[in-house]
Amino acid sequence: MTADAVTYTYTDSPLGRILVAQNSVGLVLISFQQTPEAESPQPDWHFVETLDGEATDQLCAYFNGQLHEFDLPLAPQGTAFQQAVWQALQSIAYGQTWSYAELAQQVGRPKAVRAVGAANGRNPLPIVIPCHRVIGSNGTLTGYRGGLPLKQALLSLERQHRPTLSSQLAISFA
């Protein structure tokens, strides 16, 4: 296998089966398989029962409410603008949400709300790069590649497992 070869596997989650793919640099794709926009492995990708690294373990811990911040090498492919948006998305704390306008402000393009929304929708690493945490400025759920029910489920999971202020203080002073 070449250094840039992509390996992939499937993992089960409470929200269905997920395709997880990585190359020698890091994760390149996470795709919910029961959505209309599900992506399939490319013909030159190699199936493995278990990926090297911790990607599937961290996803499992996330779904169990035990992981609030991922620590994985990432290798999403996109334009410089998309990369900037995806980097900014990683600043949204677990259980929190930003509006598309706030995200546009964060990337230094406050008038580019639609372009930011489009870049958000092209995120190849949902959950790990938390595009589900972006909502409409009026607080409504808008657009999600996996569908709004999936976005709602992810936000509900995070609200359910969000650390309380008292647990954060206990951690801070421990």
Side-chain angles (χ1 to χ4, degrees):
M1 228 179 298
T2 63
D4 61 347
V6 175
T7 57
Y8 73 96
T9 196
Y10 293 94
T11 189
D12 292 318
S13 81
L15 303 177
R17 192 172 179 140
I18 301 172
L19 168 72
V20 183
Q22 68 184 27
N23 63 18
S24 63
V25 177
L27 284 178
V28 296
L29 180 69
I30 294 173
S31 179
F32 287 95
Q33 295 298 285
Q34 49 288 349
T35 66
E37 294 82 11
E39 294 192 43
S40 299
Q42 299 298 312
D44 60 337
W45 291 5
H46 305 279
F47 176 79
V48 293
E49 289 293 328
T50 306
L51 289 176
D52 291 337
E54 298 182 22
T56 54
D57 291 342
Q58 287 192 28
L59 284 167
C60 182
Y62 168 84
F63 283 113
N64 288 330
Q66 301 165 332
L67 181 77
H68 298 168
E69 191 173 317
F70 290 91
D71 180 24
L72 296 168
L74 307 180
Q77 300 297 305
T79 67
F81 179 73
Q82 289 171 331
Q83 295 281 348
V85 170
W86 301 337
Q87 186 66 38
L89 285 169
Q90 295 176 68
S91 300
I92 307 173
Y94 182 93
Q96 302 297 311
T97 57
W98 287 1
S99 70
Y100 288 95
E102 289 171 307
L103 181 57
Q105 186 72 36
Q106 184 71 23
V107 297
R109 303 278 303 274
K111 295 184 181 190
V113 175
R114 287 182 189 265
V116 163
N120 189 60
R122 300 285 305 162
N123 172 20
L125 297 173
I127 304 171
V128 175
I129 297 178
C131 55
H132 63 279
R133 296 179 188 156
V134 182
I135 61 174
S137 55
N138 63 359
T140 59
L141 297 187
T142 59
Y144 190 65
R145 183 187 280 180
L148 293 182
L150 185 56
K151 183 174 190 167
Q152 178 62 55
L154 291 168
L155 292 171
S156 294
L157 177 131
E158 291 185 9
R159 272 194 302 273
Q160 177 185 355
H161 295 288
R162 181 173 42 210
T164 62
L165 181 58
S166 60
S167 69
Q168 289 173 343
L169 291 174
I171 292 168
S172 298
F173 294 111

